[in-house]
């Protein structure tokens, strides 16, 4: 099937901009115009981050009120990550083919629908379905925001704008748990946690329509529908298996062999399709690039270490330490501030001096240290120690996450910028989803074994308790069970962070380019045109 990118909706004449003119328009942007252009993108990312963080402190209350189980707690997180992970490569490829402004607005549209459904969900099943829609929107924003920024900003200058990104990230991440805790403790209840994001989504759509100006370049393309289907099917099956194994059935069981076999068959078929298709979703040539391959490996391992442990911190604060949802949100402030300060300072220094690997290495060293420190906690760990541990972990995450994407973007042709960016994000999300699923099942089983020693394992089917409703003796037992289980999860994450450090050490530092992705794309197409004319 052959198609072409649609005309820019912002262009009433429906005219398509030639590559040379498109590059000139982007290159002519002043710093102020660039900030205005990315303001809508930052608002969109704010919504994506807020949608995840605002619900984190509310999850224990949501699961209790809906009468759901510990495994459902994990699924509320996992389903959004699964939908996001499975669709990131497709969004990334669409960004290379179609108008990015329209795609970002479509992503925000999924957020509106998902948030409204979640806010009025009558049961856990409807809530889980709404999380899929939110995941589709998150997948688009995860891929598109960084792709568009790379298209209009040269790699050398990206560090300067990472301060803006860091501020948005920090405000959404800091404000999310605080707002979520306040809403849960207020008469509005936990449903407001989902509905509160809707005005931000609408504001983002309006802001994008007014400020984001992206020229549309017409290109002959072929959509890789089979590749998209096989990648989505393989990844989704693998993530479903990682969620159910050790929960609904044993790790070594007929269901495990069936699901893993089906996932591997789909992924092998996807590789065969991708190798032959002229416009693959994930170009296999990317994996011949040492920097991209190592960045992908490191991102996947960081995802396991980061998401797998930290997603259960809100539950630890509320159940093991007995904090209210509002106070649990306040407890996360040190980690978020560490991330904000580290990413902002590192971004400015990268722009000033052009060196980026040192920050990757330092962050990769701090990650396993922070996770190991959290592996020593229990139900009675001092809040001051917890704050210190969170600062170490937050600084490590802040130095690693965005710089892995920067390293990959700086080392690929402009025509593969979208695929490379989305691939790094895709494998990080996949690692995080598997981490949440596997470690969540382990936590549920460890808590069950502790509370019911020698009894039959419920596989995570026991209800998440409301600490405030338990008698004193039972409360102490439950707090200790969740404290020890959470510490075990962080300790299990340490080896993955160590392997990520090894991958980062082998990444070769290359000078950052000083031209934007749009300018590089125009230059590449001009060279290809000269070659074709000569032939």
């Amino acid at each position: 099937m052959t198609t072409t990118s649609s005309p820019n909706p912002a262009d009433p004449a429906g005219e398509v901009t030639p590559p040379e003119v498109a590059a000139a328009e982007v290159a002519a942007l002043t710093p102020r115009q660039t900030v205005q252009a990315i303001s809508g993108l930052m608002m969109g990312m704010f919504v994506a981050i807020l949608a995840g963080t605002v619900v984190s402190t509310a999850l224990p209350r949501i699961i209790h009120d809906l009468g759901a189980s510990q495994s459902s707690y994990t699924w509320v997180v996992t389903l959004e990550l699964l939908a996001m992970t499975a669709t990131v490569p497709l969004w990334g490829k669409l960004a290379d083919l179609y108008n990015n402004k329209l795609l970002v607005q479509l992503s925000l549209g999924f957020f509106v629908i998902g948030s409204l459904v979640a806010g009025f969900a009558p049961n856990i099943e409807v809530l889980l379905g709404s999380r899929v829609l939110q995941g589709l929107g998150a997948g688009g924003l995860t891929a598109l925001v960084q792709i568009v920024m790379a298209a209009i900003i040269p790699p050398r200058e990206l560090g300067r704008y990472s301060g803006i990104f860091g501020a948005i990230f920090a405000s959404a991440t800091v404000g999310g748990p605080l707002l979520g805790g306040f809403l849960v403790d207020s008469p509005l209840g936990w449903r407001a946690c989902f509905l509160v994001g809707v005005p931000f989504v609408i504001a983002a759509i309006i802001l994008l329509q007014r400020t984001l100006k992206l020229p549309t370049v017409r290109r002959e393309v072929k959509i890789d529908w089979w590749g998209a289907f096989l990648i989505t099917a393989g990844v989704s099956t693998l993530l479903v298996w990682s969620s159910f194994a050790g929960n609904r059935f044993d790790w070594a069981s007929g269901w495990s062999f069936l699901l893993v076999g089906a996932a591997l068959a789909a992924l092998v078929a996807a590789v065969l399709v991708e190798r032959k298709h002229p416009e693959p979703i994930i170009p296999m040539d990317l994996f011949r690039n040492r920097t991209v391959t190592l960045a992908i490996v490191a991102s996947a391992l960081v995802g396991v270490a980061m998401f797998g442990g930290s997603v259960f911190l809100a539950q630890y604060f509320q159940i093991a330490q007995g904090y209210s949802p509002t106070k649990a949100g306040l407890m996360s402030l040190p980690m978020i501030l560490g991330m904000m300060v580290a990413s902002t300072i590192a971004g400015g220094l990268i722009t000033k001096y052009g060196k980026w690997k040192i920050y990757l290495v330092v962050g990769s060293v701090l990650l396993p240290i922070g996770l190991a420190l959290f592996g020593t906690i229990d139900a009675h760990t001092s809040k001051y120690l917890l704050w210190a541990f969170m600062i170490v972990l937050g600084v490590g995450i802040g130095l690693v996450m965005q710089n892995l994407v920067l390293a990959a973007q700086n080392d690929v042709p402009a025509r593969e910028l979208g695929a490379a960016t989305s691939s790094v994000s895709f494998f990080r999300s996949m690692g995080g989803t598997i981490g949440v699923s596997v470690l969540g099942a382990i936590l549920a089983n460890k808590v069950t074994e502790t509370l019911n020693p020698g009894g039959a394992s419920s596989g995570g089917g026991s209800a998440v308790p409301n600490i405030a409703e338990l008698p004193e003796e039972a409360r102490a037992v439950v707090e200790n069970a969740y404290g020890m289980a959470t510490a075990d999860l962080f300790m299990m994450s340490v080896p993955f962070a160590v392997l990520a450090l090894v991958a980062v050490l082998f990444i070769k530092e290359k000078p950052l380019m000083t031209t934007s992705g749009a300018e590089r794309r125009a230059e590449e197409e001009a060279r290809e045109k000269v070659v074709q004319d000569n032939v």
Side-chain angles (χ1 to χ4, degrees):
M1 176 179 178
T2 303
T3 184
T4 57
S5 57
S6 58
N8 190 335
D11 184 358
E15 296 179 355
V16 180
T17 308
E20 298 81 0
V21 178
E25 289 180 6
V26 173
L29 291 177
T30 65
R32 180 178 179 180
Q33 290 173 326
T34 301
V35 171
Q36 291 176 338
I38 66 174
S39 59
L41 297 174
M42 294 296 97
M43 179 66 78
M45 184 56 70
F46 178 85
V47 173
I49 299 167
L50 188 70
T53 58
V54 76
V55 77
S56 61
T57 47
L59 269 178
R61 187 71 58 83
I62 294 172
I63 298 302
H64 177 268
D65 289 352
L66 295 180
S69 65
Q70 174 66 51
S71 59
S72 297
Y73 183 105
T74 303
W75 270 103
V76 173
V77 178
T78 302
L79 272 179
E80 184 189 20
L81 286 174
L82 190 154
M84 178 179 71
T85 302
T87 57
V88 161
L90 182 57
W91 286 109
K93 190 59 187 179
L94 290 175
D96 288 334
L97 308 178
Y98 295 107
N99 183 269
N100 290 346
K101 178 176 179 177
L102 182 62
L103 293 175
V104 173
Q105 291 174 319
L106 182 61
S107 301
L108 293 171
F110 281 119
F111 253 107
V112 171
I113 299 173
S115 298
L116 290 174
V117 173
F120 296 101
N123 52 52
I124 191 64
E125 289 78 16
V126 174
L127 178 63
L128 293 176
S130 69
R131 296 294 282 174
V132 174
L133 292 175
Q134 288 185 314
L136 292 175
L141 293 170
T142 298
L144 295 168
V145 168
Q146 296 178 94
I147 291 170
V148 174
M149 286 181 66
I152 64 177
I153 305 172
R156 179 66 185 264
E157 299 296 322
L158 274 175
R160 179 173 300 171
Y161 295 96
S162 68
I164 302 173
F165 183 87
I168 294 293
F169 187 92
S171 60
T173 312
V174 172
L178 294 175
L179 180 61
F182 171 77
L183 291 173
V184 171
D185 289 336
S186 74
L188 295 174
W190 58 262
R191 295 183 183 276
C193 293
F194 296 102
L195 299 176
V196 73
V198 173
F200 291 102
V201 178
I202 296 173
I205 293 174
I206 296 173
L207 196 58
L208 275 170
Q209 187 63 32
R210 297 181 60 184
T211 63
L212 184 59
K213 307 298 182 183
L214 291 176
T216 296
V217 179
R218 185 181 298 277
R219 299 183 181 95
E220 294 293 329
V221 299
K222 293 183 178 180
I223 306 299
D224 182 14
W225 296 114
W226 273 111
F229 169 76
L230 291 170
I231 291 173
T232 302
V235 170
S236 299
T237 303
L238 189 63
L239 297 178
V240 167
W241 165 75
S242 69
S243 299
F244 283 153
N247 180 2
R248 302 293 180 86
F249 47 78
D250 292 335
W251 289 99
S253 65
W255 275 108
S256 284
F257 292 123
L258 177 63
L259 290 174
V260 173
L264 292 178
L267 293 175
V268 169
V271 170
L272 296 176
V273 170
E274 298 295 88
R275 292 180 63 183
K276 296 181 179 179
H277 200 279
E279 293 283 353
I281 299 295
I282 301 179
M284 293 296 104
D285 289 346
L286 284 177
F287 296 96
R288 297 177 184 174
N289 184 307
R290 173 178 169 177
T291 300
V292 174
T293 301
L294 290 172
I296 286 174
V297 171
S299 291
L301 294 168
V302 167
V304 174
M306 181 178 63
F307 289 106
S310 61
V311 76
F312 298 103
L313 268 181
Q315 188 180 44
Y316 165 79
F317 288 138
Q318 293 182 60
I319 297 181
Q321 296 248 331
Y323 288 108
S324 68
T326 301
K327 290 183 178 178
L330 287 168
M331 285 295 293
S332 66
L333 283 174
M335 184 165 73
I336 307 310
L337 291 175
M339 294 169 60
M340 178 186 70
V341 172
S343 63
T344 303
I345 293 177
L349 292 175
I350 288 172
T351 294
K352 183 175 182 179
Y353 298 106
K355 303 293 184 182
W356 49 267
K357 184 174 179 180
I358 181 62
Y359 307 106
L360 268 181
V361 173
V362 172
S364 300
V365 170
L366 291 176
L367 271 179
I369 293 175
L371 292 169
L373 290 173
F374 270 108
T376 66
I377 65 175
D378 57 30
H380 309 290
T381 302
S382 163
K383 64 181 179 182
Y384 301 106
L385 275 178
L386 291 172
W387 289 345
F389 298 168
M390 281 189 281
I391 290 174
V392 174
L393 190 58
V395 171
I397 294 171
L399 292 176
V400 169
M401 266 197 352
Q402 286 303 111
N403 289 328
L404 282 173
V405 176
L406 176 63
Q409 290 176 336
N410 186 59
D411 204 26
V412 294
R415 67 178 181 276
E416 294 182 349
L417 194 59
T421 303
S422 61
S423 294
V424 175
S425 300
F426 165 72
F427 282 97
R428 182 177 64 220
S429 299
M430 187 169 72
T433 307
I434 293 175
V436 169
S437 301
V438 174
L439 296 180
I442 293 173
L443 181 143
N445 287 330
K446 282 184 174 291
V447 168
T448 300
E449 291 170 4
T450 303
L451 298 179
N452 185 27
S457 175
S458 68
S462 57
V464 176
N466 186 342
I467 289 295
E469 298 176 354
L470 295 177
E472 189 63 31
E473 291 185 5
R475 176 175 178 171
V477 173
V478 171
E479 287 176 346
N480 287 327
Y482 275 88
M484 291 187 295
T486 304
D488 289 343
L489 297 191
F490 278 102
M491 196 58 74
M492 291 177 185
S493 301
V494 171
F496 296 100
V498 172
L499 291 175
L501 170 60
V502 174
V504 164
L505 290 175
F506 282 96
I507 295 178
K508 183 179 180 181
E509 183 166 24
K510 295 185 178 180
L512 293 174
M513 297 183 186
T514 56
T515 53
S516 69
E519 293 174 280
R520 288 155 53 197
R521 183 71 180 254
E523 292 172 0
E524 291 171 8
E525 292 184 350
R527 287 196 296 267
E528 291 174 359
K529 184 178 180 181
V530 170
V531 172
Q532 292 174 356
D533 291 343
N534 291 335
V535 172

